[in-house]
């Protein structure tokens, strides 16, 4: 199984860009990179996904390196409401998502 | 937000009693999933369904059964609840086509087995 490596926690000042890294060196050529987040006691929330190209939506940007071995989720202007655990997922077997431990992002006022 | 509801949202029950959790969707998505989330374990897949009456086991299926008689409803049953099944249960749905396997999650059900 492809596995992801994320830092267990990160801090970011409110209003600044939050850059969350993810390593996925064993990703296969047809596997997508997905990002979800989970705000305390809520269900996980889909953020963004991509295959090769960088992607942007109303929530975030996803930067995938050319060799696809790592990616970065960017929250352009972090707010206190962005405090959450962020999950990077690249392995989907038979339509099943395998969650790791994620990165706990603290937004500092 | 995707139209996913879970009921009940909170439940306290006693060991040995049967419990059924319901997941209801209004998106007409083909795939539905049940996860449990426990401290130190993250989210783990219990069962999933890829169509009406079509279900399969996840990584922690022992002690749980599921049923899907309609596209919109996916039921999770604990035949005889145990304290180890105290957890937060999340339902998710997915259209799962053309390589896009994005899942959308419900608000969760907190279950306490005494």
């Amino acid at each position: 199984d492809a596995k992801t490596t994320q830092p267990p926690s990160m801090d970011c000042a409110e209003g600044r860009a939050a850059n969350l890294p993810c390593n996925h060196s064993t990703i296969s050529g047809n596997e997508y990179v997905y990002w979800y987040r989970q705000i305390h006691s809520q269900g996980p929330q889909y953020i963004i996904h991509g295959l090769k190209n960088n992607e942007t939506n109303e929530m975030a940007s996803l930067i995938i390196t050319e060799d696809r071995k790592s990616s970065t989720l960017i929250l352009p202007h972090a707010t206190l409401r962005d405090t959450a655990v962020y999950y990077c997922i690249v392995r989907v077997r038979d339509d099943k998502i395998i969650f790791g431990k994620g990165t706990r992002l603290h937004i500092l006022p | 937000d995707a139209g996913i509801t879970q009921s009940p949202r909170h439940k306290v029950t006693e060991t040995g009693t049967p419990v059924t959790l319901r997941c209801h969707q209004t998106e007409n998505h083909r795939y539905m999933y049940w996860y449990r989330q426990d401290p130190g374990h993250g989210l783990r897949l219990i069962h999933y369904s890829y169509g009406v009456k079509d279900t399969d086991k996840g990584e922690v299926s022992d002690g749980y059964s599921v049923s899907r008689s309609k596209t919109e409803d996916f039921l999770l049953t604990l035949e005889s609840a145990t304290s180890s099944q105290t957890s937060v249960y999340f339902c998710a749905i997915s259209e799962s086509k053309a390589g896009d396997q994005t899942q959308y999650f419900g608000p969760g059900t907190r279950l306490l087995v005494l």
Side-chain angles (χ1 to χ4, degrees):
Chain A
D1 294 350
K3 294 182 180 179
T4 62
T5 304
Q6 298 178 255
S9 67
M10 292 183 62
D11 292 337
C12 179
E14 188 177 17
R16 305 296 295 268
N19 296 275
L20 291 89
C22 180
N23 288 319
H24 33 78
S25 59
T26 59
I27 191 171
S28 298
N30 61 349
E31 290 177 333
Y32 285 73
V33 180
Y34 286 81
W35 282 85
Y36 290 78
R37 73 180 182 183
Q38 187 171 24
I39 297 170
H40 180 62
S41 77
Q42 297 181 20
Q45 177 189 23
Y46 165 77
I47 301 173
I48 198 168
H49 74 284
L51 183 62
K52 295 180 181 179
N53 300 322
N54 298 337
E55 302 287 344
T56 296
N57 63 20
E58 65 279 4
M59 290 183 65
S61 294
L62 173 61
I63 309 298
I64 303 173
T65 58
E66 191 169 343
D67 63 8
R68 301 206 335 118
K69 293 184 178 182
S70 66
S71 60
T72 301
L73 178 74
I74 301 172
L75 308 178
H77 304 286
T79 71
L80 296 177
R81 288 178 294 179
D82 292 320
T83 293
V85 177
Y86 287 77
Y87 296 97
C88 169
I89 297 157
V90 298
R91 180 58 172 170
V92 182
R93 294 179 303 176
D94 301 325
D95 300 311
K96 302 170 205 173
I97 289 179
I98 308 298
F99 280 83
K101 296 187 185 299
T103 295
R104 188 170 297 275
L105 177 66
H106 301 277
I107 305 300
L108 307 175
Chain B
D1 290 343
I4 311 167
T5 57
Q6 293 184 231
S7 58
R9 294 292 314 279
H10 302 269
K11 185 170 182 65
V12 180
T13 191
E14 294 187 347
T15 298
T17 60
V19 176
T20 295
L21 308 183
R22 180 185 184 232
C23 177
H24 179 78
Q25 62 148 327
T26 58
E27 306 296 323
N28 200 36
H29 282 4
R30 178 184 175 191
Y31 287 78
M32 299 184 75
Y33 310 79
W34 277 108
Y35 293 86
R36 62 178 288 175
Q37 186 170 35
D38 307 289
H41 288 280
L43 279 146
R44 293 180 292 173
L45 182 66
I46 304 171
H47 282 280
Y48 72 104
S49 169
Y50 46 95
V52 173
K53 295 191 184 341
D54 292 322
T55 64
D56 204 350
K57 296 178 180 180
E59 60 181 310
V60 290
S61 60
D62 288 347
Y64 302 94
S65 63
V66 291
S67 66
R68 190 165 178 207
S69 58
K70 299 184 291 184
T71 298
E72 58 266 35
D73 288 325
F74 192 32
L75 303 180
L76 177 71
T77 297
L78 292 64
E79 301 290 348
S80 178
T82 67
S83 58
S84 65
Q85 294 175 311
T86 291
S87 188
V88 181
Y89 291 86
F90 290 102
C91 173
I93 65 174
S94 171
E95 190 65 41
S96 193
K97 59 183 180 182
D100 182 353
Q101 296 167 314
T102 302
Q103 294 191 5
Y104 300 94
F105 287 79
T109 294
R110 292 184 177 276
L111 176 66
L112 175 61
V113 183
L114 300 175

